[in-house]
Amino acid sequence: MPSIRSFTPTRQSNPCLICSDIKGNCRQTPEDLHLCMSLSGALPGFRYLGQTKDGLWAKYAIDNGLKQSPQEREQRWQDQQLLRQQRAAAEADRHAQALPAIERDRHYRQLLSQLSLHPADKADLHHRGLTDEQIEAWGVKSVEQWQRLSIELPHELTGVALDGRSLITPRPGYLCPIRDVDGYIVGFQLRARVSKDRRYGWLTGKTKKRPNGPTNHLPNGELPLVVNRPGQAQRESIALVEGLGAKPFILSQRLGLVTIGAAGGIFAASPQTFKVTLDQLGHKNIEFYPDAGAV
């Protein structure tokens, strides 16, 4: 599959052919390969290719082998619209039932209290310029493959297996807390200790065997943004950074800035959360720190 960076985000002029999203949540390539964040499973007129490795998107290709009459194509379109509406309603209902920030924070802090930091992961953080005090303030902890828990956690909590006694961590590494503007831990990114492809991924409950497992979406249906505050602020500005892992935290500590990070740098995918975050922080100056190669 092409790199995620080669996909074009959906927008008003380029809506998702699967769910009609125009907010940048979905993706597509010129080769007609589509990634849909809202729908999954078989759809008329498309070949379902399964989920992406992180479980966030369903992969589709247009089924060009279909030969249909205009009436059949119209019926297919109506069936797709109805299916999209039904699934969108079900998805919105699931998001509305997602654990609120204050509950996530309570359970996630209990999770972190059961974990420690692996020497290899601590060495990696030192190599990236963080001190022991900064690492402790960040709250980063290590997990092993299918990490066992000594205290049972709710299986409704994103990243917790159905037994409540283990995490869905297919690779060992360390958990990067995602704190919202109120300081609540609302999710995690997992940085793999060893990786051949993607280094970061969501700690999620949605897998191939558990397609309806809890995702990182907030009750408003948006993905969270991470807010990091420096130990000592050097100026009243907000830095916008790509990613939810170490990068926004390290930048906040080095430059003394409040940082806001978004997965893939796509802040437009979480417009309500972004607006609330900016309004609550109240700073008037925004600085952009794009990755090399970012458009």
Side-chain angles (χ1 to χ4, degrees):
M1 192 181 82
S3 166
I4 294 296
R5 290 178 179 272
S6 66
F7 284 77
T8 301
T10 51
R11 54 178 63 91
Q12 185 74 44
S13 61
N14 182 41
C16 176
L17 295 184
I18 313 300
C19 70
S20 302
D21 171 75
I22 58 173
K23 296 182 179 179
N25 294 332
C26 304
R27 309 279 191 277
Q28 66 184 54
T29 66
E31 293 76 25
D32 280 335
L33 180 61
H34 301 263
L35 301 185
C36 182
M37 186 173 281
S38 299
L39 304 182
S40 62
L43 281 174
F46 296 90
R47 287 185 291 114
Y48 176 56
L49 305 177
Q51 298 286 129
T52 56
K53 289 183 179 180
D54 55 16
L56 282 180
W57 289 284
K59 298 182 290 186
Y60 288 95
I62 294 178
D63 192 345
N64 293 316
L66 290 178
K67 293 183 178 179
Q68 298 178 320
S69 66
Q71 293 78 13
E72 289 173 327
R73 285 196 295 270
E74 176 66 21
Q75 185 61 50
R76 186 188 75 180
W77 183 84
Q78 292 180 5
D79 291 343
Q80 286 178 337
Q81 289 296 103
L82 178 60
L83 184 59
R84 288 169 184 163
Q85 292 171 6
Q86 292 172 340
R87 290 185 174 180
E91 190 75 19
D93 184 59
R94 281 199 298 272
H95 290 156
Q97 296 178 28
L99 292 177
I102 192 169
E103 285 192 47
R104 294 190 192 196
D105 181 77
R106 177 166 58 87
H107 293 306
Y108 279 142
R109 289 183 187 275
Q110 190 178 46
L111 165 62
L112 292 176
S113 70
Q114 303 180 52
L115 304 174
S116 58
L117 188 58
H118 191 283
D121 297 330
K122 189 172 185 178
D124 175 72
L125 293 168
H126 282 161
H127 178 72
R128 304 185 75 172
L130 293 177
T131 65
D132 287 341
E133 292 75 16
Q134 290 171 331
I135 294 171
E136 184 176 354
W138 187 12
V140 60
K141 295 291 181 70
S142 299
V143 291
E144 299 303 321
Q145 188 178 43
W146 315 120
Q147 175 72 45
R148 297 296 300 173
L149 302 175
S150 57
I151 301 174
E152 185 174 343
L153 292 174
H155 69 274
E156 298 90 354
L157 188 65
T158 301
V160 176
L162 284 171
D163 62 4
R165 287 280 186 172
S166 59
L167 297 180
I168 304 173
T169 49
R171 300 181 294 177
Y174 57 82
L175 296 177
C176 303
I178 300 173
R179 289 183 173 84
D180 66 9
V181 69
D182 294 309
Y184 292 130
I185 300 175
V186 294
F188 292 96
Q189 283 260 303
L190 172 61
R191 187 182 192 277
R193 198 168 298 150
V194 179
S195 177
K196 295 181 180 179
D197 43 26
R198 297 187 66 195
R199 178 70 75 170
Y200 285 95
W202 292 96
L203 180 69
T204 180
K206 183 177 180 180
T207 65
K208 289 182 179 180
K209 294 183 179 180
R210 193 183 173 192
N212 295 318
T215 66
N216 289 274
H217 293 83
L218 302 171
N220 65 5
E222 298 178 354
L223 287 171
L225 303 174
V226 65
V227 179
N228 289 301
R229 290 177 168 86
Q232 184 175 1
Q234 297 183 17
R235 60 184 186 275
E236 291 190 353
S237 294
I238 298 173
L240 300 189
V241 191
E242 179 179 347
L244 297 167
K247 198 183 308 173
F249 180 80
I250 292 173
L251 184 67
S252 73
Q253 302 307 303
R254 288 183 180 176
L255 300 184
L257 292 174
V258 175
T259 60
I260 307 175
I266 307 175
F267 292 88
S270 304
Q272 295 178 34
T273 306
F274 190 37
K275 184 179 187 305
V276 169
T277 300
L278 290 175
D279 288 346
Q280 194 160 327
L281 289 172
H283 297 325
K284 298 185 181 299
N285 297 322
I286 294 178
E287 301 178 10
F288 295 89
Y289 289 84
D291 276 6
V295 295

